[in-house]
Amino acid sequence: MSDLEALRAKLNDPGFWPGRRDVRPLLELLAAADEDEAAKVVRVLAKLPLAVERAEAEWGAAAPPLRHRLVMLVARGRGDEACAALVPALGDTDPRTRKAAARGLGRVQNATSRAEAARALGAALGGESRPEVERAIVEALGKVGGAEDAAAIGARGDERVRKDALRRIDRTESRATPSRIAAERVLAAPFEVELRCREGLETILAGEIEGARILASGRVAASARSLRELTVARTWSSAAIV
């Protein structure tokens, strides 16, 4: 088996951790591999800071398809710190590189990076003409954008991706509003609740709530019209609405 074949075989091992000497042959393989194998190479190389540094320094001068694969490597290896490289890649002449950059920006997590990514994606969306890249940008905006980005999306992207993106943004915006459990709210009809307690306390717990019944060790079922009613008992540790 040749060195290249041995390296390819290692790519199928989830526990494979490459060494410094593997960086060069893996980057060479990244340029020649098909898309499925390239994804495996990116996953492996992203573990090595040296490989990610090289990708960040060399992607702009690389020829397709290596260019978008190096951008994928930067996105995976840098995480939130990838914005510095991914934002310029949104304006690249290669559509697959722009698409890879958009997908990478859609995965950043911290608030500062998300805001930076959303601004760049929104600006890129206005000038994007390739449908596949437009879809990737809309999808990414759904993950990192806010209410103003929902307006920018408008009718861009296909219907499924657009609706999903707008739904994500709406869910994110709603989480910004503090929420609370309305324990005092009384419903017209009773609902079923399963209460958990320490093993051995089931009988005591069931006796504290009218109509409660023991289900199993540490589990008691009860009916209530409000969660506040259940606070008459002090022996349960958690509750789940059935």
Side-chain angles (χ1 to χ4, degrees), residues 128-226:
E128 185 54 60
S129 59
R130 293 289 291 259
E132 71 276 20
V133 182
E134 184 181 72
R135 284 194 298 272
I137 293 175
V138 169
E139 185 176 13
L141 273 174
K143 296 176 181 177
V144 300
E148 66 279 6
D149 301 298
I153 288 174
R156 305 298 295 265
D158 63 53
E159 184 177 5
R160 181 189 62 79
V161 172
R162 182 172 64 252
K163 285 184 175 181
D164 186 57
L166 295 175
R167 187 163 47 246
R168 284 174 178 267
I169 290 175
D170 183 63
R171 189 162 60 241
T172 300
E173 291 291 302
S174 66
R175 282 201 294 265
T177 304
S179 60
R180 57 180 291 272
I181 296 175
E184 74 286 351
R185 182 173 297 173
V186 179
L187 303 184
F191 54 90
E192 291 294 312
V193 180
E194 182 177 311
L195 303 172
R196 298 293 180 96
C197 64
R198 290 177 57 185
E199 294 184 7
L201 296 181
E202 307 86 18
T203 302
I204 297 175
L205 175 56
E208 291 180 310
I209 301 175
E210 184 178 354
R213 64 188 187 281
I214 298 173
L215 294 176
S217 178
R219 297 168 55 199
V220 172
S223 295
R225 293 175 61 201
S226 76

Side-chain angles (χ1 to χ4, degrees), residues 68 71 108 173 182 217:
H68 82 272
V71 169
V108 298
E173 291 291 302
S217 178

Side-chain angles (χ1 to χ4, degrees), residues 12-242:
N12 295 316
D13 178 7
F16 171 50
W17 196 283
R20 292 175 64 91
R21 66 180 182 180
D22 296 319
V23 172
R24 180 186 292 249
L26 281 171
L27 286 174
E28 292 174 354
L29 179 58
L30 186 62
D34 60 29
E35 290 299 321
D36 289 339
E37 188 172 54
K40 295 178 182 178
V41 176
V42 167
R43 173 180 57 79
V44 167
L45 282 176
K47 300 175 181 179
L48 294 179
L50 173 63
V52 179
E53 290 171 7
R54 285 192 54 178
E56 190 168 3
E58 298 174 7
W59 74 263
L66 180 59
R67 189 185 305 171
H68 82 272
R69 294 171 179 176
L70 291 177
V71 169
M72 290 168 58
L73 175 53
V74 172
R76 187 175 182 119
R78 288 285 191 225
D80 285 352
E81 298 176 0
C83 285
L86 298 181
V87 170
L90 276 177
D92 195 79
T93 56
D94 176 42
R96 286 189 292 180
T97 298
R98 300 198 300 274
K99 183 177 178 180
R103 286 181 167 176
L105 288 169
R107 289 195 291 269
V108 298
Q109 296 296 317
N110 74 55
T112 301
S113 297
R114 287 168 68 92
E116 180 184 354
R119 285 193 298 270
L121 289 163
L125 182 61
E128 185 54 60
S129 59
R130 293 289 291 259
E132 71 276 20
V133 182
E134 184 181 72
R135 284 194 298 272
I137 293 175
V138 169
E139 185 176 13
L141 273 174
K143 296 176 181 177
V144 300
E148 66 279 6
D149 301 298
I153 288 174
R156 305 298 295 265
D158 63 53
E159 184 177 5
R160 181 189 62 79
V161 172
R162 182 172 64 252
K163 285 184 175 181
D164 186 57
L166 295 175
R167 187 163 47 246
R168 284 174 178 267
I169 290 175
D170 183 63
R171 189 162 60 241
T172 300
E173 291 291 302
S174 66
R175 282 201 294 265
T177 304
S179 60
R180 57 180 291 272
I181 296 175
E184 74 286 351
R185 182 173 297 173
V186 179
L187 303 184
F191 54 90
E192 291 294 312
V193 180
E194 182 177 311
L195 303 172
R196 298 293 180 96
C197 64
R198 290 177 57 185
E199 294 184 7
L201 296 181
E202 307 86 18
T203 302
I204 297 175
L205 175 56
E208 291 180 310
I209 301 175
E210 184 178 354
R213 64 188 187 281
I214 298 173
L215 294 176
S217 178
R219 297 168 55 199
V220 172
S223 295
R225 293 175 61 201
S226 76
L227 291 174
R228 184 77 74 200
E229 294 176 27
L230 302 173
T231 60
V232 298
R234 301 296 183 183
T235 50
W236 59 270
S237 57
S238 63
I241 298 174
V242 178

